[in-house]
Amino acid sequence: MLQSLFKKVFGSRNDRLVKQYLQKVKAINALEPAMEKLSDAELAGKTAEFKSRLENGETLDKLLPEAFAVVRESSRRVLGMRHFDVQMVGGMVLHDGKIAEMRTGEGKTLMATLPAYLNALAGKGVHVVTVNDYLASRDAESMGRLYGFLGLTTGVNMSQMPHDEKQAAYAADITYGTNNEYGFDYLRDNMVYQMSEKVQRPLAFGIIDEVDSILIDEARTPLIISGQSEENTALYQQVNLVPPRLTRQKDEESEGDYSVDEKSRQVLLSETGHEKVEEILTEMGLLLPGGSLYDASNIMLMHHVYAALRAHALYFRDQHYVVQNGEVIIVDEFTGRLMSGRRWSEGLHQAVEAKEGVAIQKENQTLASITFQNYFRMYQKLSGMTGTADTEAFEFQSIYGLETVVIPTHRPMIRKDEHDQVYRTAKERDQAVINDIRARNAGGQPVLVGTTSIEANEHLSAELTRAGLQHNVLNAKQHAREAEVIAQAGMPGGITIATNMAGRGTDIVLGGSIQKEIDAIRTDETLSDAEKDASIAALKIDWQPRHDAVVAAGGLHIIGTERHESRRVDNQLRGRSGRQGDPGSSRFFLSLEDPLLRIFASDRVAAIMNRLKMPEGEAIEHPWVTRAIENAQRKVEQRNFDIRKQLLEYDDVSNDQRKVIYEQRNELLASADIGDTVRAMRDDVLDQTVNLHIAPGSMDEQWDVAGLEKSLAAQFSLDLPLQQWLDEDKTLNEEGLRKKILEAADAIYREKEAQVGSDGLRQFERAVMLQSMDTHWREHLSALDHLRQGIHLRGYAQKQPKQEYKREAFELFSAMLTAIKTEVTQITTTVQIRAPEDVQAVEPHEPLNVQFQHTEYDEAQDFAEVDQEADAGEGYPKVGRNDPCPCGSGKKYKQCHGRLN
């Protein structure tokens, strides 16, 4: 109560921040008359002046009012768009390293030019991060005209770009690109073998568009670069015949061979299911008669069985993936886009390929990996913009240290958001949607229908075709023309069906967009300025009646056919309507068969319907129902936050190790001579070898001199007469012997150097070191993957899985560093180099068939659930009272750990 009283008196922190920024806007506006008087050349010359002032010690904050005023005036001249005051506020929020929440249609793309220009003056590079290649190239092209006018260069970083073009894009003052591409470029830069092959500069300032989509939705899964391993693909085809012969359990009590947990997206075999699978595999000849799936030799077979089960029970065509040109292509569950070139890991993709009967590609081995959280936290300054960030403000603050500032709209929002209507079945819901579309279409009101999957999209499209209603379809199969379709979604009587609307980045103008035609006229060099103005004016006169007709009909109406698991995505869909003070309306039509309601809220809503004796086709509409659904969404959001948090906590362990390896690798690439490093490694390894046979501080009688001689000869090709040295010099102690061994090793190595030449040996050392480091790092990543998969079992032993993971990961890392030192020493001391060709033979080679992917996040979900159980002090799974206790005591659960107190 006191908090709300303080808010009323002093305003919220958000109100106070906006008020402060608006004071600065007054100072910027005061400069506008002076800027208008400048010629184009004088305005462009301001960039050089600002750079000079920066070099003389002035700060960016001091330059901000003038720089923003210059950008606004330049934009008015070049793009024909003048920044609103609220865009100025948003620009300052971004410059201060915060997140700006601006409603759809408020001009975020134009707003980003303000902080991008200001920070680019420092010459360190600015990265503008978008959700797809289309938006990156579109924004770079349109905003690049403004930057070019002001004397700055613009680059666009696309996937599959030639290496030299990518380097040029990163060298530009301002670079546009996708989040995935920036992340993958960072990983690729740490896999190169020459400094000249790197593309990225140090990460200075990043502006993330659709920041909630990138840092929240896509942050559940890490970026992975993987290469193909030597895997037998025929096994996937054989095991694919198993799931169709099994029956699914309807619920926990019913009979069946396997159960599906939709919440955690897991498939579990029952006891009878295990027996049946063993019988089928024995019949196929994959399992020896009497053999068990849990025999050590059958671990990989078990992996294949579960991959096939998940492919059949959890992943469906045209929902989670599509099949195009004989390939299985993943559909991004957040944006509905096709993710060409991405593959699920853990053999799941191969299992889906086997299910669909397409060619199976080999399973992958992880070469490099990073989460978006750890990548974007490397920027010296990070900011973001979106239409829906406030619901996730806590996560932005706790994970990234980013504060969210809600920017007021330029004009008041007048869209009418109606209560949800809930129907008993999906069929009744679909009929209600068709009726609503038909009624609004008759009145000339444009309608945008949002669905959550391609399957629902195509189903609704078929229903509308049957009803004789013309419409446009927008889904992941047609994203090449999606911007054009969306731009015309505001035409009178237009009907557009679209999958998930997140990150589309194109405004819906009431009456249809004429921006494309206006841009074509402006860039037509055959027309004079007067002819251009006349043509544009004629276009606007033609467009005005259409715009007025749509406004009179009530503006754009949004229909949601399902609630998404995140409130943000629903808000993004609603936000397509009511831009810049336009009229509009929105409503969600739901059914009790929708996944969200079925899993989380159906019992409560169904009870209300039964109590009210609702007839078929009748909807329930009440604020209580809407609130119940939003509570269900909050549960899912909280769970997804836990998944991302768990993923980050586990990745933080490997991130510290990644930093060490990448730092050492970069030093290695930058050094022309690593002779001292190799010598230090050799001394350390030989010292450890001596310790194994001559323990420090031990008596002469305890020394194993013969064993040491043999070990030095076998491992390092050092044939040293140690016993003879000791016989000849009775005063030779342990320390003296160590010194003589190291001196002898150095002398032999110098002879090798004299034989091949100093430059040749340095090149050889560098190649061996890089190859050893890369090989062991990949094996280490694989070991961490395997450790992560089984670490949750430690919870059963009353141990904290995260702490156990940290401890064992550190042990693995220490072992890896020791293995690298040993291998480099062994190779450099034993190898015989006779010609430069011998050096080139060990030069590292690029891995084959490299894949770039977002890994499946089921693993992260497992950790989240088990760790929460362990945190709560519950060490064991739910078991029946009469079942054996999982601690392994042999007693019944009720007589052991399940005993009642």
Side-chain angles (χ1 to χ4, degrees), residues 518 521-522 524 527-541:
I518 289 172
I521 291 167
R522 280 195 179 131
D524 189 347
L527 299 174
S528 66
D529 287 348
E531 287 172 324
K532 286 179 183 177
D533 291 343
S535 301
I536 290 169
L539 269 176
K540 287 182 177 175
I541 289 166

Side-chain angles (χ1 to χ4, degrees), residues 333-405:
E333 67 170 306
F334 303 115
T335 62
R337 293 176 187 277
L338 297 187
M339 301 168 78
S340 299
R342 303 291 169 79
R343 293 177 67 77
W344 287 304
S345 59
E346 298 297 307
L348 175 62
H349 210 99
Q350 289 80 1
V352 173
E353 286 169 335
K355 178 180 112 177
E356 294 295 339
V358 300
I360 299 174
Q361 295 177 34
K362 290 185 178 179
E363 198 168 338
N364 297 334
Q365 175 197 17
T366 301
L367 306 179
S369 163
I370 195 168
T371 57
F372 280 132
Q373 288 100 324
N374 278 321
Y375 174 70
F376 283 112
R377 288 193 303 188
M378 287 192 288
Y379 279 83
Q380 289 171 29
K381 184 164 75 174
L382 187 67
S383 61
M385 50 190 183
T386 179
T388 47
D390 203 34
T391 55
E392 309 291 349
F394 172 73
E395 182 167 351
F396 285 128
Q397 184 67 58
S398 60
I399 302 287
Y400 302 96
L402 294 172
E403 186 178 4
T404 302
V405 181

